[in-house]
Amino acid sequence: MSKTALSEHFHKYWLRTKYDNKGNAALGISALLLLQGAITLPAQAANASKPGQRVLMIEMTPALCSLQPTRARMRQCLEGYSLTVSGLDMGYGERCGRGSEPRLTPLQLKVVNRIMPDTTVRTQAWQRYGVCSPLSASSYFRQITNYAGDLKLPNELNTGNSYTVLKSRFVGQMTRLNNGMSANSVDLICQVGTRRQMVLTDVHVCYEGSSFGTCSNIVDNCGSKFIISGGK
């Protein structure tokens, strides 16, 4: 079964270049509204309930750029990203104060930019979740890039095409690609598309420390099948 690690999913053009050079589709590796110019992060979905429980929030960029036109000027929409990360709930609570801007070294920022290219998203993720934790900004975003670097996702998310998929098949692929992941480790979030069909907008992956865990307060509103939008 083909697989692509999450850290190599994010920029569609970059991935397609690798695909063409290698001739091989298997590469090693929400809450989603613009309101008054600010990006709101995903609403209560798969929330971590205590320290040690963590939720990595991944957005399906082509779907959100299409469903929410106010996002059109965001970098990930303009540059054709296939996936982006919107935050990491560390389980220490939310909105512990406005907090400061996250300060990252130029080298770390370059790495984080690959999966979180929008400055406002990074800032709000830090202020909503990171400030509540005992971690520094550098450590918080290192956690995000570590999880993203290890996570594998079905290759259908990277082709640039649109598919209708069965939820059971998609979740089955996820669990087969990621050792230790169960169906309860994934929360899928959808929105209604233009043809009244459910479109996948977010994948939340839940952890217990460094291992996969069980999601709590899940949304799981996609039904038995949904569309993966490739932007075409």
Side-chain angles (χ1 to χ4, degrees):
M1 177 177 296
S2 64
K3 60 184 179 180
T4 304
L6 178 59
S7 62
E8 293 185 356
H9 259 287
F10 289 97
H11 198 292
K12 187 186 303 179
Y13 175 78
W14 183 83
L15 283 167
R16 284 179 174 171
T17 301
K18 282 195 99 172
Y19 177 98
D20 291 338
N21 289 343
K22 290 180 176 290
N24 189 342
L27 301 174
I29 268 210
S30 235
L32 314 163
L33 299 175
L34 283 172
L35 180 60
Q36 295 179 347
I39 297 168
T40 60
L41 294 177
Q44 306 299 320
N47 302 70
S49 60
K50 64 181 181 180
Q53 293 184 346
R54 301 174 181 183
V55 181
L56 182 69
M57 292 166 277
I58 304 161
E59 294 185 342
M60 305 294 103
T61 308
L64 288 167
C65 293
S66 174
L67 291 170
Q68 300 177 9
T70 49
R71 285 175 165 257
R73 302 304 300 174
M74 292 176 66
R75 179 181 168 191
Q76 51 261 45
C77 295
L78 294 172
E79 297 185 12
Y81 281 68
S82 49
L83 302 171
T84 50
V85 169
S86 62
L88 175 67
D89 184 349
M90 299 288 292
Y92 289 95
E94 300 181 15
R95 301 184 179 94
C96 300
R98 182 172 178 81
S100 59
E101 298 290 319
R103 294 185 178 181
L104 304 176
T105 66
L107 179 60
Q108 187 177 18
L109 183 59
K110 183 178 180 179
V111 174
V112 174
N113 263 334
R114 288 183 58 194
I115 59 175
M116 301 181 77
D118 189 271
T119 301
T120 303
V121 170
R122 292 195 302 270
T123 299
Q124 290 197 355
W126 167 246
Q127 292 178 350
R128 182 170 184 176
Y129 300 114
V131 170
C132 298
S133 78
L135 300 181
S136 65
S138 177
S139 296
Y140 175 73
F141 285 99
R142 187 176 301 116
Q143 288 285 322
I144 291 177
T145 55
N146 286 344
Y147 282 137
D150 291 337
L151 185 66
K152 309 264 186 325
L153 294 177
N155 198 56
E156 285 88 344
L157 295 175
N158 178 50
T159 64
N161 297 315
S162 296
Y163 300 88
T164 298
V165 299
L166 294 175
K167 175 189 170 184
S168 58
R169 179 179 181 274
F170 184 87
V171 174
Q173 285 182 295
M174 291 278 294
T175 57
R176 285 190 292 272
L177 292 172
N178 296 280
N179 187 37
M181 176 185 285
S182 72
N184 293 327
S185 302
V186 182
D187 184 18
L188 302 180
I189 303 171
C190 289
Q191 293 184 25
V192 179
T194 55
R195 297 183 180 179
R196 308 304 298 172
Q197 296 172 301
M198 300 304 288
V199 178
L200 182 67
T201 57
D202 301 81
V203 176
H204 289 187
V205 181
C206 303
Y207 298 84
E208 187 78 29
S210 60
S211 303
F212 293 109
T214 299
C215 295
S216 58
N217 302 323
I218 64 174
V219 174
D220 190 26
N221 67 338
C222 292
S224 62
K225 62 182 179 180
F226 51 83
I227 294 174
I228 294 175
S229 175
K232 293 182 179 179

